[in-house]
Each structure stands twice: as structure tokens, then as C-alpha cells.
């Protein structure tokens, strides 16, 4: 389970640890300690110096958790580059993506623990409820897919099929969202790619494609990135209606 472990690592050791494992992307990384976090992209933010838990998953996604709360205070659902270097006597992690241009910078001031864990996906996970219930819930709460997303239409029929959610992001770009209750495969990626291509041909400008599911296979994720599409992990949805209770024979 534990591939490597560092206790109170010095900046050089932590830098080597991060660069080694983010290059292979075959472990889950956890770094806990005192840090400062800055973000540059669609907005700008700085998290004051505090105790944080930094998670880097095998797919390159980044999450930064504060000591309380269930949601990360900052995250990158996908990164194009992860690198660390020593700056002014501290290990600094840079997590960047190209489209849109975003950068999360984590300065580890006093790291206490760094772990590399061997975690492999052994079983698939399927959300309870129907795909229709998933669509209804995410149409009501599109921020679960992306903050600021506005849903324009559902089950929008186009030449290549029906788009689950047709939306617009905070930059005014149209977004095609394909939903899957179980682990997304290459078929789902191909389906999303067709929908995005069809909408783009209408001349609406830049069109983004997002595949939303509880998980995705490694080949599908590779193809998704090659096509310039995006993945959003959806672990649950709010307001899921209780299953209908049918009357008994004697009611």
C-alpha cells in the first residue's frame, strides 16, 4: 500500500519525491503540513498560511483540503503539467493546465508527512438512481459540474444524437455535457466527441465537451485528453428522489 514515505522532509527531498512520482503518475500522493496556496486563472486567489492536506491522484488531478469541510478549498480537475522546485528555501509545487490557462502554486513551508500510496481501481462504481434522475439533479445544480455553469437545454436533439445537458460557461462558451452513471469508457468519449463536433459545425464558436461520471477508465481518459475534452468526477447528486413505493395487493 505505501510505496514511499517521508517524515518532515527537507525542501530538496520533498522536491525530488514530488517530481519522481508525478512523472510516473502511478500512485496517490498525500502531503500534509503548513503551506500557502495561490491560484491564477479565471480569477485570482490566495489561501493564507495554514495546515493543509494536498492530494495528487494518478490522473494528475489536484485537491487541497483544509482541516474542516468536505469540499477541497482549491482543486484542478485536470493538470497538463505538475512540477516541483526549491524556491527561496521552500519546496514549491506548480500545477498548471493550458485550456483554460490556470496555475495552482503550493508553497510547502513546514511539511510534516509525504506519502505515496499504491491504490488501484479494482471495482467499478455506479450511482444509484436512473440517468434521468442524474440529469434532473445536475440540471438544477450545474455547479457540481463546474462553478458558474448555466444549463440552456436538456436532451437537446442534434444530427448525431441527444445532448444530455447543453450549457454555457462563465466565458460565454457553449458546453456539451455527457452523463454516465457508471464508469465512463471510450464509447462515451467517442459519443461526446461527435456531439461537440456537430455543435461546432453550426458556427457557434468554441465548444467545450465535458464527460461527467463517477469514474473513467484509463484508456478513455487518455483519449479524452487527446481530443481536448474534459472529465468531471460526480460522486453523488443532491435531491435524489426516493424510489417509488408500489401499493401492496391489499392497499
Amino acid at each position: 500500500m505505501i510505496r514511499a514515505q517521508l517524515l518532515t522532509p527537507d525542501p530538496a527531498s520533498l522536491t525530488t519525491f514530488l517530481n519522481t512520482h508525478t512523472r510516473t503518475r502511478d500512485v496517490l500522493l498525500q502531503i500534509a503540513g503548513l503551506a500557502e496556496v495561490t491560484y491564477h486563472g479565471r480569477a485570482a486567489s490566495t489561501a493564507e498560511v495554514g495546515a493543509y492536506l494536498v492530494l495528487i491522484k494518478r490522473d494528475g488531478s489536484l485537491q487541497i483540503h483544509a482541516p474542516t469541510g468536505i469540499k477541497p478549498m482549491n482543486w484542478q480537475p485536470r493538470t497538463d503539467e505538475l512540477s516541483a522546485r526549491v524556491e527561496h528555501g521552500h519546496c514549491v509545487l506548480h500545477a498548471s493546465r493550458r485550456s483554460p490557462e490556470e496555475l495552482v502554486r503550493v508553497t510547502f513551508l513546514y511539511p510534516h508527512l509525504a506519502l505515496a500510496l499504491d491504490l488501484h481501481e479494482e471495482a467499478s462504481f455506479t450511482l444509484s438512481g436512473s440517468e434521468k434522475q442524474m440529469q434532473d439533479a445536475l440540471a438544477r445544480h450545474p455547479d457540481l459540474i463546474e462553478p458558474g455553469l448555466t444549463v440552456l437545454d436538456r436532451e437537446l436533439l442534434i444530427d448525431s444524437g441527444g445532448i444530455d445537458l447543453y450549457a454555457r460557461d462563465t466565458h460565454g462558451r457553449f458546453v456539451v455535457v455527457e452523463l454516465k452513471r457508471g464508469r465512463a469508457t471510450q464509447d462515451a468519449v467517442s459519443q461526446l466527441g461527435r456531439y461537440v463536433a456537430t455543435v461546432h459545425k453550426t458556427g457557434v464558436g468554441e465548444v467545450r465537451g465535458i464527460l461527467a461520471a463517477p469514474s473513467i477508465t484509463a484508456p478513455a481518459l487518455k483519449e479524452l485528453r487527446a481530443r481536448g475534452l474534459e472529465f468531471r468526477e460526480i460522486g453523488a447528486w443532491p435531491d435524489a428522489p426516493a424510489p417509488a413505493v408500489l401499493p401492496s395487493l391489499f392497499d
Side-chain angles (χ1 to χ4, degrees):
M1 179 70 74
I2 297 179
R3 172 86 62 88
Q5 174 179 294
L6 298 177
L7 296 175
T8 60
D10 60 74
S13 298
L14 183 57
T15 298
T16 300
F17 175 90
L18 288 171
N19 285 332
T20 298
H21 294 297
T22 56
R23 190 180 303 116
T24 58
R25 294 201 177 192
D26 59 350
V27 293
L28 169 70
L29 297 178
Q30 296 184 336
I31 307 95
L34 202 64
E36 182 182 45
V37 182
T38 58
Y39 166 83
H40 300 280
R42 289 171 288 182
S45 66
T46 300
E48 295 181 357
V49 174
Y52 300 113
L53 173 64
V54 177
L55 301 178
I56 304 173
K57 295 187 178 182
R58 291 166 54 197
D59 59 3
S61 61
L62 170 74
Q63 297 179 29
I64 302 169
H65 287 269
T68 59
I70 61 173
K71 291 185 178 181
M73 52 161 284
N74 208 319
W75 70 91
Q76 286 279 49
R78 178 180 62 82
T79 54
D80 293 310
E81 184 177 356
L82 285 163
S83 63
R85 56 179 177 264
V86 177
E87 298 180 9
H88 306 293
H90 298 293
C91 172
V92 180
L93 172 69
H94 295 257
S96 62
R97 59 189 300 196
R98 291 185 287 272
S99 181
E101 288 190 7
E102 294 180 306
L103 171 66
V104 175
R105 188 174 184 271
V106 184
T107 302
F108 295 101
L109 302 173
Y110 297 102
H112 296 292
L113 175 66
L115 281 175
L117 301 175
D118 277 310
L119 295 179
H120 299 283
E121 297 181 50
E122 300 294 344
S124 61
F125 170 67
T126 300
L127 291 167
S128 61
S130 67
E131 210 154 275
K132 175 66 166 55
Q133 290 171 340
M134 181 182 187
Q135 183 189 84
D136 290 343
L138 292 177
R140 292 192 301 269
H141 302 276
D143 279 1
L144 292 175
I145 302 172
E146 180 175 288
L149 201 66
T150 301
V151 173
L152 305 175
D153 207 341
R154 291 188 286 174
E155 289 294 342
L156 178 64
L157 293 178
I158 56 176
D159 292 343
S160 52
I163 296 174
D164 287 333
L165 296 177
Y166 188 54
R168 192 191 296 268
D169 67 15
T170 55
H171 293 279
R173 297 170 296 188
F174 290 102
V175 183
V176 174
V177 181
E178 177 65 20
L179 306 175
K180 295 297 177 186
R181 291 174 53 246
R183 180 177 295 179
T185 64
Q186 288 172 284
D187 287 341
V189 176
S190 298
Q191 185 179 8
L192 176 61
R194 290 195 301 271
Y195 294 167
V196 169
T198 300
V199 174
H200 188 265
K201 287 178 183 178
T202 64
V204 297
E206 183 180 355
V207 181
R208 296 170 57 201
I210 295 178
L211 181 57
S215 62
I216 186 170
T217 65
L221 183 62
K222 183 177 180 180
E223 182 179 345
L224 192 83
R225 289 173 172 170
R227 289 171 175 254
L229 305 173
E230 305 168 49
F231 174 70
R232 295 291 185 274
E233 181 180 337
I234 304 294
W237 62 75
D239 303 330
V245 177
L246 298 177
S248 69
L249 180 63
F250 303 101
D251 286 344

